[in-house]
Amino acid sequence: MAWIHLGEEATVSSIQFVDALLADAERDQRAETGPSDAEALDAYSQVVTGVAERVIGSVASLRISRRLPGGRQAQGSGSAVAITPDGFLVTSAHVVEGTGKGRASLTDGRELRFEVVGRDALSDLAVIRASGADLEPVSLGNADRLRVGQLVVAVGNPMGLAGSVTAGVVSALGRSFPTSDGQASRLVENVIQTDAALNPGNSGGALVDGRGRMVGVSTAVAGIGLGLAVPVNATTRRIIAALMRDGRFRRAYLGIAGGSRPLPPRLARRLGREAGVEVVQVVEGTPAAAAGLLPEDLIVELDGTPVAGVSDIQRLMVGERIGAKVPVRIVRQGHELELELVPGELD
C-alpha cells in the first residue's frame, strides 16, 4: 500500500476549506428572514388557542336516545355547531339517525332541548334547532380554497362542558366516501382528510381554518390519526339551507347503475374528452327506462354538460331538474344519439 504525504500546506488548506464552509453556513442562517423554531412554535400555539377561544362556545354536545327493536333504548352522543344566533345548528346525519329530538349542552353550562329540523343521509348532514337559544354562530368558510398542508383545527364537544380541540393539517383533498339511505346510495365528494385527530363524540363538530372559519363538518375516523370531514362549500351550503327551509334536500334521479369508461380514441379526439359513463343497468319504471337508455350505452353529455364519471351526473341531479326535460347525449354501438329524459325525485 502506498502512503501519500499531503504536507503541512495541504493540511492547512483543508482546515481553511472546512472553516469557510462553516462560516458560510452560519452566514446563511443569519441571513434567513423566517421565524426561529421557538417563534414558529409560539405562532402555531397562538393560532390554535385563538381559534379554540372563538369557536368552542359555538359547539354543542348532543345527547340522544334512540328506540331499538323490542322497545329497548340506546343512548348516543355527538357534536353540533351553531350557524345562526336563533338556534340552528348543523351536525352529522348519522349522529341524529333514528331520533327526532334530544338535549344539547353548551360550554357555558346551558342545556337546551332540540328538535331535528332536517336530515340528509346522502350528504351526512343534518340541521337541528335548539329551543330558547341565544347562540354564538361560527363563520362559514369555503373548503374549495383549502390546500394540502394547511393548518386546520377540529373542535368538538363530546362531554358538554370543556370541549375538545385537536390541531393538524389537511393531509388530502378530493377524498370520497359512500353513504346510503334505504336503497339509495351516493358518494360524498371532495371530502377533507386531516390528521387532526377526532375524539369519540366529535362527529358533527367543526373543522375550522386558522381564522376560525368552519370549512368542514367532522364525520368519521379514516384510520389511526386521520379523520374525514364533509366540506363546507357552495354545494353543502345549498343542502344546509334546504334543510333549514324545507326539512329535506330534494334530489333528482335517473335510475341507472354505471361507471366511468374510457372513450375510443377517435371519439375522444372528436369530443375533446377521454371518458364517459357506461350504463351497466337500467332500473325498470325509472326515467332512464322511459327515455330509452340501454345497458352498454355511453353517456357523454347531460343537459349540455360533459360527464366523465358518476360524480358528474350526481352533481347535476339537483332539485331544479326534477320534472324538467333534460337532453342526454350518448354513444350506442359507435353512433352518437341524443335522447330526452325527465328526472324523477329521489325518495
Side-chain angles (χ1 to χ4, degrees), residues 18 37 61 95 122 158 163 198 238 255 271 276 339:
V18 173
D37 290 344
S61 173
V95 169
L122 296 182
L198 298 183
R238 289 180 60 190
L271 296 178
L339 306 177

PDB file of all heavy atoms in Angstrom, residues 18 37 61 95 122 158 163 198 238 255 271 276 339:
ATOM      1  N   VAL A  18     -12.771  23.819   5.359  1.00  0.00           N
ATOM      2  CA  VAL A  18     -13.833  23.458   6.292  1.00  0.00           C
ATOM      3  C   VAL A  18     -14.315  24.676   7.053  1.00  0.00           C
ATOM      4  O   VAL A  18     -15.518  24.888   7.250  1.00  0.00           O
ATOM      5  CB  VAL A  18     -13.352  22.360   7.263  1.00  0.00           C
ATOM      6  CG1 VAL A  18     -14.395  22.105   8.343  1.00  0.00           C
ATOM      7  CG2 VAL A  18     -13.057  21.082   6.500  1.00  0.00           C
ATOM      8  N   ASP A  37     -37.305  28.444  15.312  1.00  0.00           N
ATOM      9  CA  ASP A  37     -38.150  27.310  15.688  1.00  0.00           C
ATOM     10  C   ASP A  37     -39.053  27.678  16.856  1.00  0.00           C
ATOM     11  O   ASP A  37     -40.236  27.332  16.884  1.00  0.00           O
ATOM     12  CB  ASP A  37     -37.273  26.105  16.063  1.00  0.00           C
ATOM     13  CG  ASP A  37     -36.573  25.521  14.843  1.00  0.00           C
ATOM     14  OD1 ASP A  37     -36.992  25.845  13.718  1.00  0.00           O
ATOM     15  OD2 ASP A  37     -35.619  24.745  15.030  1.00  0.00           O
ATOM     16  N   SER A  61     -72.683  19.839  22.702  1.00  0.00           N
ATOM     17  CA  SER A  61     -72.666  18.387  22.875  1.00  0.00           C
ATOM     18  C   SER A  61     -74.097  17.876  22.805  1.00  0.00           C
ATOM     19  O   SER A  61     -74.987  18.415  23.478  1.00  0.00           O
ATOM     20  CB  SER A  61     -72.045  18.028  24.226  1.00  0.00           C
ATOM     21  OG  SER A  61     -72.155  16.641  24.478  1.00  0.00           O
ATOM     22  N   VAL A  95     -75.409  11.143  13.375  1.00  0.00           N
ATOM     23  CA  VAL A  95     -75.491  11.435  14.811  1.00  0.00           C
ATOM     24  C   VAL A  95     -76.938  11.438  15.278  1.00  0.00           C
ATOM     25  O   VAL A  95     -77.259  10.957  16.371  1.00  0.00           O
ATOM     26  CB  VAL A  95     -74.802  12.784  15.128  1.00  0.00           C
ATOM     27  CG1 VAL A  95     -75.114  13.229  16.560  1.00  0.00           C
ATOM     28  CG2 VAL A  95     -73.296  12.670  14.935  1.00  0.00           C
ATOM     29  N   LEU A 122     -77.618  11.219   2.561  1.00  0.00           N
ATOM     30  CA  LEU A 122     -76.745  11.065   1.395  1.00  0.00           C
ATOM     31  C   LEU A 122     -75.617  12.085   1.353  1.00  0.00           C
ATOM     32  O   LEU A 122     -74.699  11.958   0.555  1.00  0.00           O
ATOM     33  CB  LEU A 122     -77.564  11.124   0.111  1.00  0.00           C
ATOM     34  CG  LEU A 122     -78.582   9.992  -0.060  1.00  0.00           C
ATOM     35  CD1 LEU A 122     -79.312  10.118  -1.383  1.00  0.00           C
ATOM     36  CD2 LEU A 122     -77.902   8.627   0.039  1.00  0.00           C
ATOM     37  N   PRO A 158     -67.638  16.497  23.073  1.00  0.00           N
ATOM     38  CA  PRO A 158     -68.179  15.193  23.460  1.00  0.00           C
ATOM     39  C   PRO A 158     -68.672  15.136  24.897  1.00  0.00           C
ATOM     40  O   PRO A 158     -69.509  14.304  25.222  1.00  0.00           O
ATOM     41  CB  PRO A 158     -66.994  14.254  23.257  1.00  0.00           C
ATOM     42  CG  PRO A 158     -65.797  15.122  23.402  1.00  0.00           C
ATOM     43  CD  PRO A 158     -66.193  16.462  22.854  1.00  0.00           C
ATOM     44  N   GLY A 163     -65.278  20.958  26.010  1.00  0.00           N
ATOM     45  CA  GLY A 163     -64.975  20.946  24.598  1.00  0.00           C
ATOM     46  C   GLY A 163     -63.699  20.173  24.321  1.00  0.00           C
ATOM     47  O   GLY A 163     -62.940  19.829  25.230  1.00  0.00           O
ATOM     48  N   LEU A 198     -59.757  12.929  15.582  1.00  0.00           N
ATOM     49  CA  LEU A 198     -61.141  13.073  16.024  1.00  0.00           C
ATOM     50  C   LEU A 198     -61.361  12.199  17.251  1.00  0.00           C
ATOM     51  O   LEU A 198     -61.140  10.990  17.212  1.00  0.00           O
ATOM     52  CB  LEU A 198     -62.111  12.663  14.910  1.00  0.00           C
ATOM     53  CG  LEU A 198     -62.052  13.493  13.623  1.00  0.00           C
ATOM     54  CD1 LEU A 198     -63.122  13.008  12.651  1.00  0.00           C
ATOM     55  CD2 LEU A 198     -62.228  14.967  13.916  1.00  0.00           C
ATOM     56  N   ARG A 238     -76.048  24.836   0.051  1.00  0.00           N
ATOM     57  CA  ARG A 238     -77.392  24.664  -0.514  1.00  0.00           C
ATOM     58  C   ARG A 238     -78.151  23.577   0.235  1.00  0.00           C
ATOM     59  O   ARG A 238     -79.357  23.707   0.488  1.00  0.00           O
ATOM     60  CB  ARG A 238     -77.297  24.300  -1.987  1.00  0.00           C
ATOM     61  CG  ARG A 238     -76.832  25.429  -2.884  1.00  0.00           C
ATOM     62  CD  ARG A 238     -76.773  24.983  -4.326  1.00  0.00           C
ATOM     63  NE  ARG A 238     -78.075  24.551  -4.814  1.00  0.00           N
ATOM     64  CZ  ARG A 238     -78.258  23.937  -5.964  1.00  0.00           C
ATOM     65  NH1 ARG A 238     -77.228  23.640  -6.735  1.00  0.00           N
ATOM     66  NH2 ARG A 238     -79.470  23.582  -6.336  1.00  0.00           N
ATOM     67  N   GLY A 255     -82.134   6.558 -12.527  1.00  0.00           N
ATOM     68  CA  GLY A 255     -82.494   5.145 -12.455  1.00  0.00           C
ATOM     69  C   GLY A 255     -81.528   4.245 -13.197  1.00  0.00           C
ATOM     70  O   GLY A 255     -81.960   3.269 -13.831  1.00  0.00           O
ATOM     71  N   LEU A 271     -64.666  14.569 -29.400  1.00  0.00           N
ATOM     72  CA  LEU A 271     -65.423  15.209 -28.316  1.00  0.00           C
ATOM     73  C   LEU A 271     -64.540  16.052 -27.406  1.00  0.00           C
ATOM     74  O   LEU A 271     -65.052  16.868 -26.636  1.00  0.00           O
ATOM     75  CB  LEU A 271     -66.146  14.143 -27.491  1.00  0.00           C
ATOM     76  CG  LEU A 271     -67.227  13.329 -28.216  1.00  0.00           C
ATOM     77  CD1 LEU A 271     -67.811  12.282 -27.281  1.00  0.00           C
ATOM     78  CD2 LEU A 271     -68.328  14.241 -28.755  1.00  0.00           C
ATOM     79  N   GLY A 276     -66.456   8.665 -20.476  1.00  0.00           N
ATOM     80  CA  GLY A 276     -67.885   8.877 -20.320  1.00  0.00           C
ATOM     81  C   GLY A 276     -68.398   7.917 -19.263  1.00  0.00           C
ATOM     82  O   GLY A 276     -67.615   7.239 -18.585  1.00  0.00           O
ATOM     83  N   LEU A 339     -81.038  11.664 -26.627  1.00  0.00           N
ATOM     84  CA  LEU A 339     -82.327  11.293 -26.066  1.00  0.00           C
ATOM     85  C   LEU A 339     -82.797  12.408 -25.137  1.00  0.00           C
ATOM     86  O   LEU A 339     -82.044  13.309 -24.790  1.00  0.00           O
ATOM     87  CB  LEU A 339     -82.225   9.972 -25.296  1.00  0.00           C
ATOM     88  CG  LEU A 339     -81.649   8.770 -26.044  1.00  0.00           C
ATOM     89  CD1 LEU A 339     -81.548   7.561 -25.109  1.00  0.00           C
ATOM     90  CD2 LEU A 339     -82.499   8.418 -27.263  1.00  0.00           C
TER      91      LEU A 339
END
